Amino acid sequence: IYSERPDVLATRYGLRYRFSYRLKYGLAALAVGFAVLGLTVETRYEWLWPSLELGSIIGILACFSLAWVFRWHERWLDYRLLAEQFRVLDFLRPMGETVPVFHPPKYWEAPPTRHSCVRWYFRARLRECSLPNGAVRDGYVRKQVNNVRIVAEVQLDYNTGKHQSAERGYHFTEWAGFVLFAITAAACIAHVQGWGPKLALGALTAMLPAFGAAMEGLQAQEEGKRIAGRAEAIDRKSVV
């Protein structure tokens, strides 16, 4: 009934929040890289590397500030919760049922005002839409079953895509981090053995771990393995 607009807003704020923390990880690694380059690479523009490092730091602070001021994470969760409540209501309302209003579990120790706007808005829309006017006969039931089936098929397609994208992201960050740390180890060995220019090898051993750590941080932040496993389990257990 009303799930389309909250779903659009949840997607919008979710994308902004995810983009902000991905950018923070990347800028943090770049800041380390620019600092190392400033010590190892000579240029006639002495201000270049410090300026790039400062720009990276300012970008990180901007990401923190925008996400905090505009409450991207909180709005993402609120709109997603609202959209899913309306989605379930679409299934239950034709049968004269409603979905319970969400309340955070006590063990969350969430403040009483958390999700209060979501509960208020959902109750207001619930009173507004009221119960459907119709007779529950065979044709009516078949129509509602078909509607549920269509939505379920769309959801299963979404879970399949989510599983594939989350698994790709997980494997990319895992292997990227491994390769970066492996190259760092090789550079350390080469540096100790004197198999190359010490300045360049020293710069690599300082820069590459920062990018490897960024990959590991992204992997932990996005929980790609857990999300991929959950989406796959839903696909496996769900039959339309």
mmCIF file of all heavy atoms in Angstrom, residues 171-204:
data_model
loop_
_atom_site.group_PDB
_atom_site.id
_atom_site.type_symbol
_atom_site.label_atom_id
_atom_site.label_comp_id
_atom_site.label_asym_id
_atom_site.label_seq_id
_atom_site.Cartn_x
_atom_site.Cartn_y
_atom_site.Cartn_z
ATOM 1 N N HIS A 171 34.771 -12.201 -1.734
ATOM 2 C CA HIS A 171 35.959 -12.829 -2.320
ATOM 3 C C HIS A 171 36.946 -11.781 -2.832
ATOM 4 O O HIS A 171 38.170 -11.970 -2.717
ATOM 5 C CB HIS A 171 35.559 -13.779 -3.445
ATOM 6 C CG HIS A 171 34.917 -15.043 -2.965
ATOM 7 N ND1 HIS A 171 35.498 -15.861 -2.020
ATOM 8 C CD2 HIS A 171 33.732 -15.628 -3.280
ATOM 9 C CE1 HIS A 171 34.723 -16.894 -1.786
ATOM 10 N NE2 HIS A 171 33.639 -16.781 -2.530
ATOM 11 N N PHE A 172 36.428 -10.676 -3.375
ATOM 12 C CA PHE A 172 37.327 -9.629 -3.867
ATOM 13 C C PHE A 172 38.130 -9.026 -2.720
ATOM 14 O O PHE A 172 39.362 -8.903 -2.812
ATOM 15 C CB PHE A 172 36.530 -8.538 -4.582
ATOM 16 C CG PHE A 172 37.378 -7.346 -4.959
ATOM 17 C CD1 PHE A 172 38.216 -7.394 -6.058
ATOM 18 C CD2 PHE A 172 37.332 -6.182 -4.194
ATOM 19 C CE1 PHE A 172 39.006 -6.301 -6.393
ATOM 20 C CE2 PHE A 172 38.118 -5.090 -4.520
ATOM 21 C CZ PHE A 172 38.956 -5.145 -5.623
ATOM 22 N N THR A 173 37.461 -8.614 -1.637
ATOM 23 C CA THR A 173 38.181 -8.006 -0.519
ATOM 24 C C THR A 173 39.115 -9.010 0.156
ATOM 25 O O THR A 173 40.218 -8.649 0.591
ATOM 26 C CB THR A 173 37.198 -7.439 0.515
ATOM 27 O OG1 THR A 173 36.253 -8.458 0.904
ATOM 28 C CG2 THR A 173 36.427 -6.255 -0.062
ATOM 29 N N GLU A 174 38.697 -10.272 0.231
ATOM 30 C CA GLU A 174 39.536 -11.291 0.861
ATOM 31 C C GLU A 174 40.825 -11.494 0.072
ATOM 32 O O GLU A 174 41.931 -11.467 0.631
ATOM 33 C CB GLU A 174 38.763 -12.602 0.963
ATOM 34 C CG GLU A 174 39.547 -13.714 1.665
ATOM 35 C CD GLU A 174 38.746 -15.000 1.743
ATOM 36 O OE1 GLU A 174 38.065 -15.341 0.749
ATOM 37 O OE2 GLU A 174 38.815 -15.664 2.782
ATOM 38 N N TRP A 175 40.681 -11.689 -1.244
ATOM 39 C CA TRP A 175 41.860 -11.947 -2.055
ATOM 40 C C TRP A 175 42.703 -10.693 -2.243
ATOM 41 O O TRP A 175 43.940 -10.782 -2.308
ATOM 42 C CB TRP A 175 41.449 -12.537 -3.400
ATOM 43 C CG TRP A 175 41.138 -13.985 -3.312
ATOM 44 C CD1 TRP A 175 39.917 -14.579 -3.307
ATOM 45 C CD2 TRP A 175 42.090 -15.052 -3.179
ATOM 46 N NE1 TRP A 175 40.027 -15.947 -3.178
ATOM 47 C CE2 TRP A 175 41.359 -16.262 -3.101
ATOM 48 C CE3 TRP A 175 43.481 -15.101 -3.118
ATOM 49 C CZ2 TRP A 175 41.978 -17.496 -2.966
ATOM 50 C CZ3 TRP A 175 44.104 -16.334 -2.980
ATOM 51 C CH2 TRP A 175 43.361 -17.504 -2.914
ATOM 52 N N ALA A 176 42.074 -9.541 -2.340
ATOM 53 C CA ALA A 176 42.837 -8.296 -2.470
ATOM 54 C C ALA A 176 43.689 -8.064 -1.234
ATOM 55 O O ALA A 176 44.876 -7.708 -1.335
ATOM 56 C CB ALA A 176 41.895 -7.117 -2.701
ATOM 57 N N GLY A 177 43.107 -8.264 -0.040
ATOM 58 C CA GLY A 177 43.885 -8.122 1.185
ATOM 59 C C GLY A 177 45.024 -9.121 1.254
ATOM 60 O O GLY A 177 46.153 -8.771 1.628
ATOM 61 N N PHE A 178 44.751 -10.372 0.887
ATOM 62 C CA PHE A 178 45.791 -11.408 0.921
ATOM 63 C C PHE A 178 46.932 -11.060 -0.033
ATOM 64 O O PHE A 178 48.115 -11.160 0.325
ATOM 65 C CB PHE A 178 45.193 -12.763 0.551
ATOM 66 C CG PHE A 178 46.199 -13.871 0.441
ATOM 67 C CD1 PHE A 178 46.677 -14.509 1.573
ATOM 68 C CD2 PHE A 178 46.679 -14.264 -0.806
ATOM 69 C CE1 PHE A 178 47.622 -15.519 1.480
ATOM 70 C CE2 PHE A 178 47.617 -15.278 -0.914
ATOM 71 C CZ PHE A 178 48.095 -15.908 0.231
ATOM 72 N N VAL A 179 46.598 -10.661 -1.264
ATOM 73 C CA VAL A 179 47.625 -10.341 -2.250
ATOM 74 C C VAL A 179 48.460 -9.144 -1.802
ATOM 75 O O VAL A 179 49.705 -9.144 -1.927
ATOM 76 C CB VAL A 179 46.971 -10.071 -3.619
ATOM 77 C CG1 VAL A 179 47.984 -9.483 -4.601
ATOM 78 C CG2 VAL A 179 46.385 -11.358 -4.188
ATOM 79 N N LEU A 180 47.817 -8.119 -1.259
ATOM 80 C CA LEU A 180 48.553 -6.936 -0.814
ATOM 81 C C LEU A 180 49.522 -7.270 0.314
ATOM 82 O O LEU A 180 50.680 -6.807 0.328
ATOM 83 C CB LEU A 180 47.571 -5.854 -0.367
ATOM 84 C CG LEU A 180 46.797 -5.158 -1.501
ATOM 85 C CD1 LEU A 180 45.663 -4.324 -0.946
ATOM 86 C CD2 LEU A 180 47.742 -4.292 -2.330
ATOM 87 N N PHE A 181 49.093 -8.090 1.273
ATOM 88 C CA PHE A 181 49.992 -8.469 2.363
ATOM 89 C C PHE A 181 51.082 -9.416 1.875
ATOM 90 O O PHE A 181 52.216 -9.391 2.374
ATOM 91 C CB PHE A 181 49.202 -9.103 3.505
ATOM 92 C CG PHE A 181 48.492 -8.097 4.364
ATOM 93 C CD1 PHE A 181 47.100 -8.057 4.413
ATOM 94 C CD2 PHE A 181 49.202 -7.176 5.124
ATOM 95 C CE1 PHE A 181 46.447 -7.125 5.201
ATOM 96 C CE2 PHE A 181 48.552 -6.238 5.919
ATOM 97 C CZ PHE A 181 47.167 -6.214 5.947
ATOM 98 N N ALA A 182 50.755 -10.278 0.891
ATOM 99 C CA ALA A 182 51.777 -11.158 0.332
ATOM 100 C C ALA A 182 52.853 -10.348 -0.391
ATOM 101 O O ALA A 182 54.061 -10.634 -0.265
ATOM 102 C CB ALA A 182 51.138 -12.156 -0.621
ATOM 103 N N ILE A 183 52.438 -9.338 -1.144
ATOM 104 C CA ILE A 183 53.409 -8.476 -1.822
ATOM 105 C C ILE A 183 54.251 -7.727 -0.791
ATOM 106 O O ILE A 183 55.472 -7.547 -0.977
ATOM 107 C CB ILE A 183 52.696 -7.498 -2.767
ATOM 108 C CG1 ILE A 183 52.000 -8.263 -3.899
ATOM 109 C CG2 ILE A 183 53.676 -6.489 -3.352
ATOM 110 C CD1 ILE A 183 51.141 -7.377 -4.791
ATOM 111 N N THR A 184 53.611 -7.303 0.299
ATOM 112 C CA THR A 184 54.353 -6.634 1.365
ATOM 113 C C THR A 184 55.421 -7.548 1.950
ATOM 114 O O THR A 184 56.571 -7.132 2.184
ATOM 115 C CB THR A 184 53.395 -6.181 2.481
ATOM 116 O OG1 THR A 184 52.402 -5.318 1.936
ATOM 117 C CG2 THR A 184 54.149 -5.442 3.570
ATOM 118 N N ALA A 185 55.057 -8.816 2.181
ATOM 119 C CA ALA A 185 56.036 -9.774 2.707
ATOM 120 C C ALA A 185 57.191 -9.961 1.733
ATOM 121 O O ALA A 185 58.376 -9.997 2.141
ATOM 122 C CB ALA A 185 55.347 -11.112 2.986
ATOM 123 N N ALA A 186 56.871 -10.067 0.443
ATOM 124 C CA ALA A 186 57.929 -10.217 -0.557
ATOM 125 C C ALA A 186 58.824 -8.982 -0.601
ATOM 126 O O ALA A 186 60.061 -9.095 -0.724
ATOM 127 C CB ALA A 186 57.305 -10.468 -1.923
ATOM 128 N N ALA A 187 58.216 -7.802 -0.481
ATOM 129 C CA ALA A 187 59.013 -6.574 -0.477
ATOM 130 C C ALA A 187 59.908 -6.502 0.754
ATOM 131 O O ALA A 187 61.054 -6.025 0.674
ATOM 132 C CB ALA A 187 58.088 -5.364 -0.531
ATOM 133 N N CYS A 188 59.405 -6.969 1.896
ATOM 134 C CA CYS A 188 60.232 -6.985 3.114
ATOM 135 C C CYS A 188 61.443 -7.901 2.936
ATOM 136 O O CYS A 188 62.573 -7.553 3.317
ATOM 137 C CB CYS A 188 59.399 -7.447 4.308
ATOM 138 S SG CYS A 188 58.188 -6.241 4.895
ATOM 139 N N ILE A 189 61.196 -9.089 2.374
ATOM 140 C CA ILE A 189 62.304 -10.027 2.147
ATOM 141 C C ILE A 189 63.326 -9.420 1.177
ATOM 142 O O ILE A 189 64.545 -9.491 1.397
ATOM 143 C CB ILE A 189 61.758 -11.359 1.606
ATOM 144 C CG1 ILE A 189 60.886 -12.036 2.665
ATOM 145 C CG2 ILE A 189 62.899 -12.283 1.184
ATOM 146 C CD1 ILE A 189 60.156 -13.271 2.168
ATOM 147 N N ALA A 190 62.811 -8.803 0.094
ATOM 148 C CA ALA A 190 63.712 -8.180 -0.870
ATOM 149 C C ALA A 190 64.499 -7.044 -0.234
ATOM 150 O O ALA A 190 65.687 -6.841 -0.523
ATOM 151 C CB ALA A 190 62.909 -7.676 -2.070
ATOM 152 N N HIS A 191 63.848 -6.297 0.659
ATOM 153 C CA HIS A 191 64.511 -5.197 1.338
ATOM 154 C C HIS A 191 65.623 -5.704 2.238
ATOM 155 O O HIS A 191 66.737 -5.158 2.249
ATOM 156 C CB HIS A 191 63.484 -4.406 2.150
ATOM 157 C CG HIS A 191 63.980 -3.068 2.586
ATOM 158 N ND1 HIS A 191 63.260 -2.228 3.403
ATOM 159 C CD2 HIS A 191 65.154 -2.418 2.330
ATOM 160 C CE1 HIS A 191 63.944 -1.120 3.624
ATOM 161 N NE2 HIS A 191 65.099 -1.210 2.981
ATOM 162 N N VAL A 192 65.367 -6.753 2.975
ATOM 163 C CA VAL A 192 66.367 -7.323 3.879
ATOM 164 C C VAL A 192 67.551 -7.904 3.095
ATOM 165 O O VAL A 192 68.722 -7.741 3.473
ATOM 166 C CB VAL A 192 65.729 -8.398 4.780
ATOM 167 C CG1 VAL A 192 66.799 -9.149 5.568
ATOM 168 C CG2 VAL A 192 64.723 -7.773 5.727
ATOM 169 N N GLN A 193 67.237 -8.563 1.986
ATOM 170 C CA GLN A 193 68.287 -9.203 1.193
ATOM 171 C C GLN A 193 69.012 -8.229 0.256
ATOM 172 O O GLN A 193 70.013 -8.599 -0.356
ATOM 173 C CB GLN A 193 67.668 -10.340 0.366
ATOM 174 C CG GLN A 193 67.078 -11.459 1.190
ATOM 175 C CD GLN A 193 68.125 -12.207 1.998
ATOM 176 O OE1 GLN A 193 69.286 -12.320 1.596
ATOM 177 N NE2 GLN A 193 67.730 -12.714 3.160
ATOM 178 N N GLY A 194 68.492 -7.030 0.137
ATOM 179 C CA GLY A 194 69.119 -6.052 -0.734
ATOM 180 C C GLY A 194 68.931 -6.354 -2.203
ATOM 181 O O GLY A 194 69.829 -6.128 -3.020
ATOM 182 N N TRP A 195 67.748 -6.863 -2.567
ATOM 183 C CA TRP A 195 67.487 -7.265 -3.947
ATOM 184 C C TRP A 195 66.882 -6.146 -4.799
ATOM 185 O O TRP A 195 66.469 -6.399 -5.939
ATOM 186 C CB TRP A 195 66.553 -8.463 -3.966
ATOM 187 C CG TRP A 195 67.177 -9.714 -3.422
ATOM 188 C CD1 TRP A 195 68.505 -9.970 -3.267
ATOM 189 C CD2 TRP A 195 66.488 -10.871 -2.961
ATOM 190 N NE1 TRP A 195 68.706 -11.205 -2.737
ATOM 191 C CE2 TRP A 195 67.476 -11.807 -2.536
ATOM 192 C CE3 TRP A 195 65.153 -11.235 -2.844
ATOM 193 C CZ2 TRP A 195 67.159 -13.040 -2.019
ATOM 194 C CZ3 TRP A 195 64.832 -12.474 -2.334
ATOM 195 C CH2 TRP A 195 65.823 -13.375 -1.932
ATOM 196 N N GLY A 196 66.810 -4.962 -4.297
ATOM 197 C CA GLY A 196 66.222 -3.874 -5.050
ATOM 198 C C GLY A 196 66.504 -2.545 -4.388
ATOM 199 O O GLY A 196 67.154 -2.477 -3.328
ATOM 200 N N PRO A 197 65.999 -1.463 -4.988
ATOM 201 C CA PRO A 197 66.205 -0.135 -4.375
ATOM 202 C C PRO A 197 65.519 -0.056 -3.006
ATOM 203 O O PRO A 197 64.306 -0.278 -2.905
ATOM 204 C CB PRO A 197 65.575 0.820 -5.389
ATOM 205 C CG PRO A 197 64.650 -0.023 -6.205
ATOM 206 C CD PRO A 197 65.243 -1.388 -6.241
ATOM 207 N N LYS A 198 66.302 0.238 -2.004
ATOM 208 C CA LYS A 198 65.768 0.206 -0.636
ATOM 209 C C LYS A 198 64.675 1.243 -0.411
ATOM 210 O O LYS A 198 63.724 1.000 0.329
ATOM 211 C CB LYS A 198 66.905 0.416 0.362
ATOM 212 C CG LYS A 198 67.881 -0.744 0.429
ATOM 213 C CD LYS A 198 68.874 -0.562 1.558
ATOM 214 C CE LYS A 198 69.778 -1.789 1.686
ATOM 215 N NZ LYS A 198 70.743 -1.643 2.798
ATOM 216 N N LEU A 199 64.816 2.391 -1.052
ATOM 217 C CA LEU A 199 63.820 3.441 -0.849
ATOM 218 C C LEU A 199 62.458 3.007 -1.386
ATOM 219 O O LEU A 199 61.420 3.163 -0.715
ATOM 220 C CB LEU A 199 64.277 4.726 -1.537
ATOM 221 C CG LEU A 199 63.498 5.996 -1.164
ATOM 222 C CD1 LEU A 199 63.648 6.295 0.321
ATOM 223 C CD2 LEU A 199 63.996 7.172 -2.001
ATOM 224 N N ALA A 200 62.435 2.432 -2.583
ATOM 225 C CA ALA A 200 61.170 1.986 -3.184
ATOM 226 C C ALA A 200 60.576 0.821 -2.396
ATOM 227 O O ALA A 200 59.359 0.772 -2.142
ATOM 228 C CB ALA A 200 61.392 1.584 -4.632
ATOM 229 N N LEU A 201 61.437 -0.115 -1.994
ATOM 230 C CA LEU A 201 60.941 -1.261 -1.228
ATOM 231 C C LEU A 201 60.421 -0.822 0.129
ATOM 232 O O LEU A 201 59.410 -1.335 0.617
ATOM 233 C CB LEU A 201 62.061 -2.299 -1.062
ATOM 234 C CG LEU A 201 62.491 -3.017 -2.346
ATOM 235 C CD1 LEU A 201 63.709 -3.885 -2.090
ATOM 236 C CD2 LEU A 201 61.344 -3.871 -2.885
ATOM 237 N N GLY A 202 61.108 0.128 0.746
ATOM 238 C CA GLY A 202 60.630 0.642 2.027
ATOM 239 C C GLY A 202 59.280 1.336 1.897
ATOM 240 O O GLY A 202 58.408 1.207 2.762
ATOM 241 N N ALA A 203 59.096 2.064 0.793
ATOM 242 C CA ALA A 203 57.809 2.726 0.559
ATOM 243 C C ALA A 203 56.699 1.698 0.375
ATOM 244 O O ALA A 203 55.588 1.853 0.900
ATOM 245 C CB ALA A 203 57.910 3.633 -0.664
ATOM 246 N N LEU A 204 56.992 0.625 -0.368
ATOM 247 C CA LEU A 204 55.982 -0.426 -0.563
ATOM 248 C C LEU A 204 55.603 -1.088 0.752
ATOM 249 O O LEU A 204 54.415 -1.343 1.009
ATOM 250 C CB LEU A 204 56.510 -1.478 -1.548
ATOM 251 C CG LEU A 204 56.569 -1.079 -3.014
ATOM 252 C CD1 LEU A 204 57.181 -2.196 -3.838
ATOM 253 C CD2 LEU A 204 55.169 -0.746 -3.539
#
